[in-house]
């Protein structure tokens, strides 16, 4: 079948056979189908969508374009978590040890930050010595020994997805729910997991600004996973303001560790425990979500989750001492207080603007090839619903990265991100839905 | 402005500034904007369309991507004709000399056949010695001396259109009215014409199968032309069965010459004279369409049009003797009669199937790089509304091209193209509308 015919069929809204999608992805991966045909196909998909069967076929074709891990020789149920990305979302750092401490096996393959959202890999790399590029053999060893291993995507997992994503990025075809869903799931299902918990973020700092879009994405993600015989559950969680207080790599590691030591911000704690409970339930380690929540909470209270994180960090070459003595983590050159100009209540914080302020400080990337400074970032002191007096600190900037924006300019970004008014407005809910 | 932003704006239905379209076409022509971005843009245009302003900007950008002829030093009003392509459409061969004999200056730049439709250049090349690749200097000389010159598109006219068309062809983005219209008009307006008569074909053998699509295309074409200060008129003409009787290059030359000698098929004559009258009127050589029709008809009756064709052929290196002694034209190796299997009335002839039967005989191209045999083709003897007895010839195949389909198989194609029934059905009208 000619690729032009496949593009035309999709363009005209005719359904594609799984074999056609398979041929398209195979041809693209092997360089037989040029980028321009795939770009036209993606734009046709943007307008026409994909059926559930087509989405499944696309996911499977991308999944099978590279290695698919087989972790069946490691005892236990393997469950990973995937977040669609947010600002201050350091959940994975705390979640993996909590779930592992509850007996879930957590093979976690994460990404880097891009644009206003951060990435787990960058956060992990702010722990001195931590290796995110383990080979498959060492990955299995760490997973079997500690119950969790956190690494980066390898070249050999779902290479078709990597190529396709790069093409979509430069052809304005990223924002398509079936393409987003098949991209996520092809990578996750290549990890050899039995189950997956999805954290689909909704709000000003999320990729999906509207709950209905997030819900559609969550349903497609769950459909794909179930179509491949995996247990999948998705939570829709709020991203209308940063999660927790810290935004920036070492700052977020510190906040995640504080959480494991019982001193975490309440919103971060709630999201982390809820996702952990879902993982525990999926892995069959608890009878009910209620029980699973208790189990997860106990691993914090009795210190097992923190010990587990230290164990994982050590197994991956990192220095667990840095989780106790934060001075061993990368530090910013200086701090700068952003103070409220008027009294009132914080009515909204534009999470995307806060994320971009952190990027402007050097904590994130505008382009894939940019370097990050692990020590810089910001910590917000007032969240939605909080009262603030004029002159009180809203946020502390941790600055000093080479080539970064001047702290004064970043402070101005933060000021604009805060909406302060006379009346107290309630914060948006943290949990917006559960699909599974 | 980033190309991704331009693609996204079109994708989301936001209007583009002329400068954005100019930048896109310039970047594409200079190789700075890759094919994959242009392919995504074209697919977004397929779904979102282009505004009149955007279509004009695209046409102008492609027009200015190469040379624009200036024929102002040649006296007279320059008017060309463009047909959207059909089966048996040999109108240009008779039209150019008729219009020139009426005092219109006709700088005609034509294309080659592709798929089921033929091309004027292939027909011209079946005249021994005829040169379609004249340089600009000789083109001007012939035009000034004879009043008409028929050549092929050069590399230097609208190169952006040529590149874009090739890309659209392999990305299923051909069927977009603004893209079709800007492609046609960018080439035609680069010819240095003052006016243009468009023959927009409608029906089973045309690119536009439905009258409403043809009318939309005609309106967009006229809008573009008028936006650039040109006189443009469009006729919608029927292409539900082949025009005239002959389909195939030398066979069509012979039929066009017969027309100029007063022995042409009536449908071909009517379309040719109507288009000629529009050209004469646009050029200001007649007061009314009525007068223009008479003038055009007289050039056939008194032999001036035939003499003019001989003059043009001679000026372009061809042998005018072949227009008198048809044995000097390329001949087929053999003929084969396709006979009616049952008596009745011809109720329909699938023009596209007849065109593809001619291609199967070697008269046309499936791919751009295919060679054609100028001698082969077919001649239909019965048209819609005609009575036929069982065993009477429907069509004569002229066969013998190397690598062509067996005449028996082609005969079967012709049989299937003919619908013969008990009742006489009227033929579709030849003239479906006029816009201008």
């Amino acid at each position: 079948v000619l690729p032009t015919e496949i593009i035309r069929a999709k363009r005209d809204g005719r359904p594609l056979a799984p074999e056609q999608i398979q041929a398209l992805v195979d041809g693209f991966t092997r360089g037989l189908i040029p980028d321009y045909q795939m770009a036209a196909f993606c734009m046709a998909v943007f307008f026409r969508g994909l059926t559930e069967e087509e989405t499944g076929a696309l996911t499977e074709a991308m999944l099978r374009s590279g290695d698919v891990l087989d972790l069946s020789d490691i005892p236990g149920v393997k469950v990973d978590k995937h977040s669609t990305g947010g600002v201050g979302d350091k959940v994975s750092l705390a979640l993996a040890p909590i779930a592992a401490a509850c007996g879930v096996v957590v093979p976690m393959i994460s990404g880097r930050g891009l644009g206003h959202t951060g990435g787990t890999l960058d956060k992990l790399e702010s722990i001195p010595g931590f290796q995110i590029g383990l080979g498959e053999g060492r990955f299995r060893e760490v997973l079997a020994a500690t119950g969790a291993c956190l690494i980066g995507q390898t070249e050999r997992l779902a290479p078709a997805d990597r190529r396709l994503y790069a093409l979509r990025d430069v052809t304005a075809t990223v924002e398509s729910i079936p393409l987003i869903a098949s991209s996520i799931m092809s990578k996750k299902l290549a990890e050899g997991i039995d189950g997956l918990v999805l954290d689909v973020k909704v709000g000003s700092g999320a990729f999906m600004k509207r709950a209905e879009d997030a819900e559609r994405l969550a349903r497609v993600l769950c459909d794909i996973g179930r179509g491949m015989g995996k247990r999948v559950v998705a939570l829709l969680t709020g991203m209308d303001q940063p999660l927790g207080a810290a935004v920036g790599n070492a700052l977020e590691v510190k906040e995640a560790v504080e959480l494991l030591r019982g001193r975490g911000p309440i919103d971060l704690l709630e999201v982390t425990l809820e996702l952990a409970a879902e993982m525990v339930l999926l892995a069959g380690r608890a009878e009910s979500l209620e029980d699973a929540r208790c189990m997860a909470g106990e691993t914090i209270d009795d210190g097992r989750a923190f010990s587990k994180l230290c164990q994982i960090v050590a197994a991956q070459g990192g220095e667990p001492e840095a989780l106790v003595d934060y001075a061993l983590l990368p530090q910013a050159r200086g701090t700068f207080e952003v103070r409220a100009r008027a009294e009132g209540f914080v009515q909204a914080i534009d999470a995307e603007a806060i994320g971009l302020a952190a990027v402007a400080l050097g904590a994130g990337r505008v382009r894939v090839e940019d370097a990050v400074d692990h020590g810089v970032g910001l910590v917000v002191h007032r969240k939605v619903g909080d009262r603030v007096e004029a002159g009180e600190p809203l946020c502390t900037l941790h600055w000093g990265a080479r080539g970064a924006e001047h702290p004064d300019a970043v402070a101005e970004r933060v000021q604009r991100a805060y909406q302060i008014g006379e009346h107290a407005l309630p914060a948006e809910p943290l949990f917006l839905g559960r699909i599974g």
Side-chain angles (χ1 to χ4, degrees), chain A:
Chain A
V1 180
L2 290 169
T4 314
E5 290 312 307
I6 297 179
I7 303 167
R8 178 173 290 115
K10 177 45 63 191
R11 183 196 79 180
D12 295 343
R14 281 178 275 131
L16 298 175
E19 303 73 42
Q20 290 180 298
I21 290 179
Q22 179 80 43
L24 197 67
V25 173
D26 282 357
F28 177 63
T29 311
R30 291 160 60 200
L32 303 175
I33 291 178
D35 286 349
Y36 52 79
Q37 290 187 320
M38 209 62 185
F41 177 77
C42 288
M43 188 59 86
V45 170
F46 177 88
F47 284 98
R48 292 290 191 180
L50 291 177
T51 65
E52 187 175 334
E53 189 185 27
E54 289 170 337
T55 309
L58 177 59
T59 308
E60 191 149 356
M62 294 201 298
L63 163 66
R64 301 208 182 289
S65 69
D67 293 350
V68 180
L69 293 182
D70 178 359
L71 301 177
S72 57
D73 58 327
I74 298 174
V77 183
K78 289 98 206 168
V79 181
D80 191 8
K81 187 264 317 189
H82 177 82
S83 161
T84 59
V87 177
D89 180 4
K90 69 282 291 174
V91 166
S92 290
L93 304 176
L95 179 66
I98 292 172
C102 292
V104 184
V105 180
V106 187
M108 192 174 269
I109 302 189
S110 304
R112 297 200 176 275
L114 187 60
H116 72 279
T117 63
T120 299
L121 292 187
D122 296 317
K123 294 167 197 177
L124 289 169
E125 286 189 324
S126 60
I127 301 170
F130 195 94
Q131 298 300 315
I132 56 101
L134 306 183
E136 188 184 328
R138 183 63 193 150
F139 175 70
R140 289 171 175 280
E141 281 174 19
V142 173
L143 193 59
T146 72
C149 189
L150 294 85
I151 62 169
Q153 211 192 332
T154 73
E155 295 285 303
R156 293 162 64 183
L157 286 183
D161 169 66
R162 199 164 35 254
R163 275 204 61 195
L164 190 61
Y165 189 85
L167 181 64
R168 286 166 55 210
D169 191 39
V170 292
T171 55
T173 50
V174 168
E175 298 89 345
S176 157
I177 283 177
L179 294 181
I180 294 168
S182 56
S183 173
I184 291 172
M185 295 304 282
S186 66
K187 280 177 294 208
K188 287 289 155 186
L189 296 176
E191 290 175 5
I193 50 175
D194 304 300
L196 179 64
V197 175
L198 293 155
D199 182 8
V200 180
K201 299 288 189 194
V202 189
S204 66
F207 195 70
M208 296 289 163
K209 310 290 183 200
R210 303 183 315 163
E212 53 265 43
D213 292 335
E215 191 175 326
R216 273 177 60 217
L217 174 60
R219 287 193 190 283
V220 175
L221 289 165
C222 289
D223 287 344
I224 296 173
R226 271 196 300 266
M228 303 218 180
K230 306 295 178 184
R231 303 175 209 170
V232 185
V233 66
L235 298 184
L236 305 190
T237 69
M239 184 38 72
D240 263 312
Q241 59 177 337
L243 189 63
V247 182
N249 300 294
L251 294 169
E252 293 192 44
V253 166
K254 190 174 139 188
E255 187 169 273
V257 170
E258 288 291 292
L259 181 129
L260 294 181
R261 295 168 110 181
R263 302 188 293 251
I266 182 70
D267 58 345
L268 178 65
L269 180 66
E270 283 182 14
V271 170
T272 304
L273 284 182
E274 199 63 26
L275 291 166
E278 296 285 0
M279 291 175 76
V280 169
L281 191 67
L282 272 196
R285 308 294 298 188
E287 294 288 314
S288 69
L289 207 48
E290 191 71 7
D291 289 355
R293 274 191 209 104
C294 290
M295 279 177 70
E298 279 165 18
T299 67
I300 297 179
D301 298 342
D302 63 15
R304 278 183 296 134
F306 177 66
S307 300
K308 181 57 75 179
L309 178 62
C310 294
Q311 199 184 341
I312 298 164
V313 166
Q316 295 198 235
E319 297 175 20
E321 301 74 27
L323 307 182
V324 180
D325 179 2
Y326 300 137
L328 298 174
L329 291 172
Q331 305 290 319
R333 280 200 5 244
T335 58
F336 183 99
E337 297 297 329
V338 183
R339 294 174 189 282
R341 287 171 177 162
E343 61 169 26
F345 290 94
V346 177
Q347 293 177 329
I349 305 174
D350 179 339
E352 182 166 348
I354 293 291
L356 292 174
V359 172
L361 288 168
R365 294 180 185 81
V366 176
R367 281 171 298 268
V368 178
E369 61 273 21
D370 293 344
V372 303
D373 182 322
H374 293 94
V376 303
L378 53 84
V379 178
V380 298
H381 305 300
R382 290 291 190 283
K383 305 232 332 186
V384 174
D386 289 349
R387 171 85 193 164
V388 65
E389 301 304 322
E392 282 187 348
L394 290 173
C395 175
T396 303
L397 307 185
H398 294 248
W399 59 274
R402 288 166 63 102
E405 207 169 284
H406 193 282
D408 283 341
V410 179
E412 195 48 45
R413 288 174 183 263
V414 172
Q415 292 283 8
R416 282 197 303 267
Y418 268 84
Q419 184 185 316
I420 294 172
E422 202 179 335
H423 305 290
L425 297 181
E428 298 287 322
L430 204 50
F431 295 100
L432 293 98
R434 178 183 189 275
I435 287 154

